[in-house]
Amino acid sequence: MAEKDLMDKLVSLCKRRGFIFQSSEIYGGTGSVWDYGPLGIELKKNIKDRWWSAMVHQRDDIEGLDAAILMHPKVWEASGHVEGFTDPLVECKHCKHRYRQDQLEEAQCGRKPSVRPGEHPDCDLSEPRLFNLMFRTFMGPVEDAAHQIYLRPETAQGIYVNFLNVQGAARQKVPFGIAQIGKAFRNEITPGNFIFRTREFEQAEMQFFVEPGTDEEWFEYWMEARWKWHVSLGIREEKLRFEEHGPNELAHYAKKAFDIEYEFSFGWKEFEGIHNRTDFDLSRHQEYSGRRLQYIDTGSGKRFIPYVIETSVGVDRTLLVVLADAYHEEEVEGEERVVLRLQPSLAPTKVAVFPLVKKDGLPEIAEKLHRELRAAAVPSFYDASGSIGRRYRRQDEAGTPWCVTVDGQTNEDGTVTIRDRDSLAQIREPLEGVLPWIRERL
Ligand code: GAP
């Protein structure tokens, strides 16, 4: 498979199987916004559940939060986003296309995609100007500057403004963290690569509050923990790497930052950032709100503004990594098959149940098994249409780890076949053994 085709193939598989659709497609689509279909939403939920389990449920020192998207506009002044969350934008005065100045090398000319902006004789590029990436809207019926608010460009600020609320209510002691998953919005100048860079996306962020002076060791700790989490999703380790931000790449709030990158078909790209944000955010919120945001250690009596180690992963980007890593094309008995080798715990559908033929009572047995699996909260899919080969192929593309077939022998000895998506091995199990067999493997 030519690597550069992979993204196109994924886009069409995602549409065909109901993972991801273009937003408002019947109106010609909305720029770089995507909708998750029946399988996509399950995969996304499974990824988020794994993150929440690792970051909140399995730990005593991290609390969960779900802060609102709309926040007081001063939050974004304090955070530095009003002033500093900008990209340099260049406009072609001729064709009106806009580009990020720092991405001109990779961009395509709006008139002639085979050349770069500036290379076509008609190109007339403007001087760069700073473009703020925050979406603006108005709170209430009056549309003036006093009522202007923003759609949050990161979820982290909801955590900072609630730092003392959570710490007090949960009686946590530093070091401890606050985690949340939620939507974020950025009016990206050059979105693209399917769900990689979009204008509406989801982040899973955790801010870990530590005593100043211990921040560097906690940074190391979180780098290792987050790497292991990605590997635990089944992502091939050789496709992952750390990349440190150079002094000119650091965000306005960061003292040190490492990205976790994945090798996509369009190059090595970041999908998680680990940042040492020092006491920048809490200090700024203390200054702008006039409220003390100090932590008081009840044991030692020490007072300080904690440093923050942030782990920030894009949910949509992780989903793209999971899909790209799971996508395989191979030949089986002279026929090509496309298979998503998703880890069973991530797969949207865990099992598909088929009657081999639509007679001899086989559909009734298969449907009964399917209902029993569903009643036991195992996502099961019943399919009686098309040849058995086609039914297998559909499930391979959906990443379903096991297919159960009810056949003639079921009527004789009460057994069914279970076919493994990856090895293609088929075994026979008694009907009543199917549920425990699957549970054991999940
Ligand atoms: N709170 C820190 C922060 O937001 P970031 O590096 O700007 O840091 C963190 O974003 C993660 O959010 C990225 O690694 C990426 O996975 C995701 N992300 C950022 N912008 C995105 C976009 N336009 N589309 C999809 N995901 C995005």
Side-chain angles (χ1 to χ4, degrees):
M1 176 187 25
E3 272 288 295
K4 66 176 162 41
D5 297 340
L6 176 64
M7 225 21 74
D8 292 341
K9 290 177 179 177
L10 264 185
V11 174
S12 65
L13 181 146
C14 282
K15 182 171 179 192
R16 197 164 64 241
R17 290 287 156 245
F19 281 91
I20 300 168
F21 309 118
Q22 197 183 10
S23 162
S24 316
E25 193 186 357
I26 59 168
Y27 288 100
T30 319
S32 286
V33 188
W34 299 88
D35 297 339
Y36 286 83
L39 295 193
I41 187 64
E42 293 295 331
L43 177 57
K44 199 178 190 195
K45 185 178 171 301
N46 292 341
I47 291 171
K48 289 194 282 186
D49 286 350
R50 286 285 288 274
W51 188 87
W52 196 258
S53 167
M55 299 300 267
V56 182
H57 288 169
Q58 293 174 37
R59 303 185 64 107
D60 293 328
D61 58 356
I62 299 187
E63 304 289 341
L65 179 74
D66 183 13
I69 289 173
L70 302 177
M71 302 182 74
H72 195 290
K74 269 197 152 182
V75 165
W76 305 108
E77 286 175 36
S79 70
H81 284 81
V82 169
E83 199 186 330
F85 195 55
T86 51
D87 276 340
L89 176 142
V90 169
E91 186 178 32
C92 176
K93 292 177 201 157
H94 195 82
C95 71
K96 305 291 176 214
H97 271 80
R98 291 172 171 192
Y99 311 95
R100 263 175 66 171
Q101 190 207 15
D102 55 345
Q103 290 177 354
L104 279 178
E105 286 292 302
E106 304 146 39
Q108 295 175 326
C109 168
R111 306 207 109 205
K112 195 173 173 205
S114 59
V115 299
R116 294 194 195 111
E119 289 180 354
H120 189 275
D122 291 343
C123 288
D124 183 8
L125 299 185
S126 70
E127 285 299 308
R129 65 185 172 85
L130 291 178
F131 173 76
N132 195 296
L133 300 186
M134 284 195 293
F135 277 99
R136 272 161 270 208
T137 185
F138 299 95
M139 183 80 102
V142 184
E143 297 193 2
D144 64 10
H147 296 86
Q148 183 177 286
I149 54 160
Y150 302 94
L151 300 188
R152 66 181 178 201
E154 62 169 9
T155 63
Q157 299 302 325
I159 293 180
Y160 298 131
V161 299
N162 279 296
F163 160 62
L164 285 183
N165 284 339
V166 175
Q167 186 262 322
R171 293 191 292 125
Q172 281 286 359
K173 289 190 187 318
V174 165
F176 81 98
I178 304 176
Q180 82 166 327
I181 300 178
K183 289 265 184 173
F185 304 83
R186 294 184 190 177
N187 199 1
E188 300 279 3
I189 301 167
T190 46
N193 282 323
F194 193 25
I195 55 169
F196 180 79
R197 182 169 285 109
T198 54
R199 293 189 169 115
E200 174 178 342
F201 54 95
E202 231 172 331
Q203 290 184 315
E205 296 199 301
M206 192 279 303
Q207 315 297 317
F208 203 74
F209 301 91
V210 305
E211 189 172 344
T214 63
D215 48 310
E216 292 188 7
E217 72 197 69
W218 278 110
F219 190 90
E220 298 292 321
Y221 170 89
W222 280 111
M223 274 181 58
E224 189 185 333
R226 294 304 303 147
W227 179 278
K228 282 189 180 153
W229 183 78
H230 293 294
V231 174
S232 82
L233 298 185
I235 298 165
R236 285 169 290 171
E237 220 166 340
E238 66 270 22
K239 301 280 263 178
L240 295 172
R241 74 174 186 195
F242 278 120
E243 197 67 2
E244 185 169 12
H245 285 208
N248 298 331
E249 297 165 313
L250 284 172
H252 58 273
Y253 49 71
K255 164 180 159 188
K256 184 172 178 182
F258 269 80
D259 290 336
I260 301 182
E261 296 189 340
Y262 179 79
E263 190 180 20
F264 289 100
S265 54
F266 48 91
W268 285 96
K269 298 283 173 196
E270 165 208 350
F271 70 115
E272 168 143 14
I274 297 148
H275 310 127
N276 184 342
R277 293 181 73 135
T278 67
D279 59 358
F280 175 85
D281 300 88
L282 289 179
S283 299
R284 294 271 292 199
H285 285 305
Q286 176 165 287
E287 183 190 334
Y288 279 68
S289 68
R291 298 278 285 272
R292 269 180 180 251
L293 292 180
Q294 275 183 340
Y295 169 75
I296 304 168
D297 188 308
T298 45
S300 66
K302 269 199 217 167
R303 289 164 179 261
F304 56 88
I305 296 184
Y307 268 36
V308 170
I309 306 303
E310 169 184 69
T311 72
S312 174
V313 70
V315 175
D316 313 79
R317 274 193 200 173
T318 306
L319 188 139
L320 188 61
V321 167
V322 165
L323 283 177
D325 210 59
Y327 185 96
H328 286 86
E329 288 174 1
E330 57 194 32
E331 212 180 279
V332 175
E333 291 161 8
E335 267 187 49
E336 194 176 88
R337 79 159 179 161
V338 171
V339 56
L340 285 186
R341 293 191 198 278
L342 296 172
Q343 201 177 70
S345 64
L346 293 182
T349 306
K350 309 298 180 201
V351 56
V353 185
F354 311 145
L356 184 63
V357 288
K358 287 191 206 164
K359 56 180 186 179
D360 304 332
L362 303 190
E364 289 75 12
I365 301 171
E367 258 191 273
K368 184 166 174 278
L369 173 63
H370 161 67
R371 288 197 195 299
E372 282 167 6
L373 289 164
R374 285 228 162 200
V378 174
S380 165
F381 183 80
Y382 176 77
D383 190 359
S385 65
S387 72
I388 196 78
R390 283 176 73 93
R391 283 181 263 171
Y392 282 147
R393 297 290 171 269
R394 286 198 286 259
Q395 295 308 317
D396 289 344
E397 281 198 345
T400 307
W402 303 292
C403 292
V404 175
T405 304
V406 175
D407 56 18
Q409 199 178 323
T410 312
N411 275 332
E412 289 163 23
D413 63 8
T415 64
V416 291
T417 64
I418 305 179
R419 171 217 190 235
D420 183 88
R421 175 197 67 199
D422 299 336
S423 68
L424 300 174
Q426 301 206 14
I427 55 158
R428 287 203 84 88
E429 278 288 320
L431 262 171
E432 62 280 8
V434 173
L435 176 59
W437 190 95
I438 285 167
R439 276 214 173 119
E440 201 179 305
R441 279 152 189 86
L442 285 175

